[in-house]
Amino acid sequence: MKKISFPILLSILLSLATSCSKTELDLSPISSITDDNFWKSPEQWESFVIGIHSRLRIHTYNLFVLGGMRADEFGETSFGGESTNNRERLWLNTINISNPGVNEYGGFYSNINQINLLIEKTEQTTLLPEASKAYYLGQGYGMRAFYYFHLLRTWGDVIIHETATSTFDISTLAKAASPAADVMALIKSDLSKSEAAFGTNYTIKLNKAVWSKSATLMLKAETYLWSAKRLNGGAADAAIAKKALTDIQQNVPALGLLPNFRDIFGYANKGNKEIIFAVRNELNEYVFMGGEFAPFLPQINYIGNYYDSLSKAKIDVQKDLVGGTGGFQAPIKKSTYRSFSSEDSRKYASIQGAFSLVNGQYVLAGCYLAKYQGIINAGSRVMVDDYPIYRYADLLLMLAEAKTVLGEDPATEINLVRQRAYGNNYKPAVHGFPNQPGDKVLPEMILKERYFEFIGEGKRWYDLLRFGKEYVFKYTTVTEEYKLLWPVDLNTLTNNKALKQTPGYL
């Protein structure tokens, strides 16, 4: 990993303070910033916080890969015939030290280092009003816990780094990884500090594009559900998760489900009432996944030969296509598409099926992700969709999950999600809980509902891990326990001699 000088990183990272009044994250750079002329005004703090969020979205692709690509959503040869360019290693789970899927811990440590700086400067300052100081600390501790939770679930034992350094290079720290138990303790401690710092301030700023107390509470629920199931926390931890979720319900009444599932992801509907926290992308500012989304989209030079089975017409490359000229390397599995009921609106809002017309019959040739459609600008499609991290349906389904651990009835939350999904097709006796096939097996029921709800949102792999290794073995290509974690890449191991490879990987 390259060394990143703090003054240089600041000049890349920070936004103009004037952007803080906007609803988007303006990335106009400030030039020639050093520690000597920064941290001198409240506006500079606000700029730094915006910059931290801009760093998060630079790493959206890694969040997407770590949370979803090893599970069972993706994983077939492209129906256009393109090479997968080694991405098949993710869903085939043949990643190794030379092909680790994600390098250098996803780049998360450079962001953690900046968050450490924010925490240190905010705790030391006398320039900020107490309310602002508390809000920034709530954001800082919450976002640090967020990164460490990704690191924990991916690599298990990882380096704990809680101080800011002016020249930061994870590979030259010569520091060993801490046990996963210590990492979890840090996550829970940071969540407590974040929650306490926010206090009664439930404000969600910048149209849901920055961290808030609600984001901290969602992460707290997710963390404690993990420890309830993976770390034998049981009912006690599930109760903590439930309390965090009901806290949001009680104190942020403006949040709720949108009536139409497809509307959650619309470019003109950013920051809608279902969104709790999202990575913001914007026209002329930043494109979805930094332009790395192309492998998930079909090429325009062949997709127009296929049909949409609903409209009975060929796919309109100008109106319907989300693709471009790059290689289409990670299609949605046809079995994923077929697993949905045709009455479930999430099917067609999440996945686009491409059909061949054979002897008057529509035959499914392949599928691709349809949630992130982008917009047409100057005759070209631009991927500027937001990427949801937490939304209200996640709150409801985690609350249902906590209730199942506690022996309580999850019907209210499950049926709210299903009613929205089926719309006018919804029949309580058919679609409502506990009337669908499989509803009696509660873990399977929760996993299935989350599968349908969050296709392409980077949650499925983590969900399977949380429920237990038996679910990973059942639904993915993983057959060996050591592969529940990811390997550390060769470059990081070579440069940091104190690190050890994830057990099981050669």
Side-chain angles (χ1 to χ4, degrees):
M1 180 181 290
K2 295 180 180 178
K3 295 183 178 180
I4 303 175
S5 167
F6 164 65
I8 294 174
L9 181 56
L10 270 181
S11 67
I12 299 171
L13 169 65
L14 295 177
S15 313
L16 290 172
T18 55
S19 71
C20 301
S21 63
K22 301 180 182 179
T23 58
E24 70 270 13
L25 299 182
D26 187 352
L27 295 184
S28 303
I30 299 174
S31 60
S32 189
I33 294 179
T34 68
D35 202 22
D36 292 334
N37 60 23
F38 203 72
W39 309 110
K40 305 299 183 184
S41 70
E43 290 77 17
Q44 290 177 331
W45 254 272
E46 186 70 2
S47 289
F48 193 86
V49 170
I50 297 301
I52 283 175
H53 286 84
S54 75
R55 290 289 301 173
L56 171 63
R57 70 180 177 187
I58 289 171
H59 294 94
T60 306
Y61 178 76
N62 285 340
L63 299 179
F64 182 89
V65 169
L66 293 175
M69 289 295 291
R70 290 183 64 191
D72 51 346
E73 296 174 353
F74 299 88
E76 290 181 344
T77 302
S78 166
F79 53 94
E82 299 95 332
S83 166
T84 56
N85 196 28
N86 264 346
R87 281 183 173 82
E88 81 282 357
R89 286 186 173 274
L90 294 166
W91 56 77
L92 294 179
N93 286 288
T94 58
I95 54 176
N96 54 41
I97 186 172
S98 300
N99 299 278
V102 173
N103 291 298
E104 298 179 334
Y105 295 107
F108 296 159
Y109 278 104
S110 61
N111 298 358
I112 288 171
N113 190 56
Q114 294 302 295
I115 291 171
N116 291 340
L117 181 64
L118 171 68
I119 291 171
E120 290 175 12
K121 293 296 184 180
T122 304
E123 287 178 338
Q124 296 166 3
T125 190
T126 59
L127 293 176
L128 295 174
E130 285 303 311
S132 297
K133 185 173 180 178
Y135 201 83
Y136 294 144
L137 288 174
Q139 290 179 306
Y141 282 116
M143 292 186 74
R144 189 168 73 179
F146 175 78
Y147 282 117
Y148 270 108
F149 193 45
H150 280 282
L151 291 167
L152 171 73
R153 291 178 293 177
T154 304
W155 288 280
D157 299 349
V158 293
I159 294 171
I160 289 178
H161 177 67
E162 297 180 81
T163 58
T165 56
S166 59
T167 301
F168 182 79
D169 184 350
I170 191 68
S171 66
T172 60
L173 285 179
K175 186 175 183 180
S178 295
D182 292 350
V183 181
M184 177 57 84
L186 172 65
I187 293 167
K188 289 183 174 180
S189 174
D190 276 359
L191 286 169
S192 294
K193 291 175 182 177
S194 175
E195 191 175 358
F198 278 123
T200 59
N201 190 345
Y202 291 86
T203 305
I204 308 179
K205 297 181 179 180
L206 286 179
N207 211 20
K208 314 290 186 68
V210 296
W211 198 267
S212 65
K213 181 170 184 177
S214 293
T216 287
L217 291 170
M218 289 292 288
L219 176 59
K220 182 177 181 179
E222 194 175 17
T223 299
Y224 277 86
L225 283 174
W226 180 275
S227 63
K229 294 183 171 181
R230 290 291 301 271
L231 305 176
N232 299 315
D237 281 358
I240 293 172
K242 179 184 174 183
K243 184 176 184 297
L245 297 167
T246 54
D247 187 341
I248 299 172
Q249 288 183 313
Q250 292 165 3
N251 291 288
V252 195
L255 293 172
L257 293 179
L258 287 185
N260 188 322
F261 181 80
R262 190 183 295 272
D263 289 345
I264 301 167
F265 310 96
Y267 180 79
N269 206 25
K270 291 174 181 284
N272 60 71
K273 73 173 185 176
E274 181 150 345
I275 299 299
I276 296 173
F277 175 57
V279 175
R280 178 59 44 81
N281 302 293
E282 200 72 47
L283 185 64
N284 300 322
E285 181 188 311
Y286 198 80
V287 297
F288 185 54
M289 294 191 186
E292 294 178 290
F293 194 62
F296 304 95
L297 307 173
Q299 294 188 54
I300 58 176
N301 60 1
Y302 72 83
I303 192 62
N305 295 319
Y306 293 93
Y307 291 81
D308 177 271
S309 65
L310 295 180
S311 66
K312 310 299 183 184
K314 284 190 174 182
I315 294 173
D316 187 332
V317 297
Q318 292 300 317
K319 179 178 179 293
D320 299 323
L321 180 63
V322 296
T325 58
F328 180 34
Q329 300 159 359
I332 295 281
K333 292 169 68 174
K334 288 184 281 189
S335 60
T336 302
Y337 182 83
R338 289 171 174 147
S339 67
F340 282 83
S341 164
S342 60
E343 295 180 328
D344 188 336
S345 66
R346 295 172 296 189
K347 178 175 186 175
Y348 304 110
S350 301
I351 308 170
Q352 174 66 54
F355 291 78
S356 299
L357 189 58
V358 181
N359 298 324
Q361 299 294 317
Y362 292 98
V363 179
L364 184 62
C367 306
Y368 55 93
L369 192 59
K371 274 184 176 175
Y372 313 111
Q373 293 289 320
I375 62 172
I376 299 296
N377 180 62
S380 299
R381 188 167 293 275
V382 186
M383 307 309 297
V384 284
D385 306 279
D386 286 0
Y387 181 69
I389 301 294
Y390 292 122
R391 52 185 179 87
Y392 197 77
D394 202 2
L395 183 154
L396 291 174
L397 291 176
M398 283 200 289
L399 184 52
E401 185 178 337
K403 285 185 172 183
T404 63
V405 177
L406 295 168
E408 300 175 10
D409 185 2
T412 297
E413 291 75 26
I414 295 297
N415 288 335
L416 283 171
V417 173
R418 288 182 179 175
Q419 286 169 16
R420 193 263 299 276
Y422 285 89
N424 293 334
N425 295 319
Y426 183 75
K427 300 177 183 65
V430 176
H431 303 114
F433 176 85
N435 302 318
Q436 288 195 22
D439 277 356
K440 301 299 183 183
V441 184
L442 295 180
E444 292 281 6
M445 180 272 295
I446 295 287
L447 276 173
K448 184 178 180 181
E449 208 62 49
R450 291 185 63 85
Y451 182 59
F452 291 152
E453 186 72 22
F454 300 116
I455 293 287
E457 295 183 48
K459 295 184 181 290
R460 178 65 170 175
W461 173 255
Y462 289 144
D463 285 348
L464 294 172
L465 283 176
R466 183 172 71 252
F467 275 74
K469 62 184 179 183
E470 63 271 27
Y471 295 97
V472 179
F473 297 152
K474 179 178 180 179
Y475 289 107
T476 78
T477 57
V478 171
T479 58
E480 298 165 286
E481 189 167 348
Y482 77 90
K483 289 187 177 181
L484 298 176
L485 295 174
W486 294 57
V488 181
D489 64 280
L490 181 61
N491 184 62
T492 298
L493 285 174
T494 300
N495 292 330
N496 186 343
K497 300 299 183 183
L499 283 176
K500 296 180 180 180
Q501 181 57 271
T502 306
Y505 289 97
L506 300 179

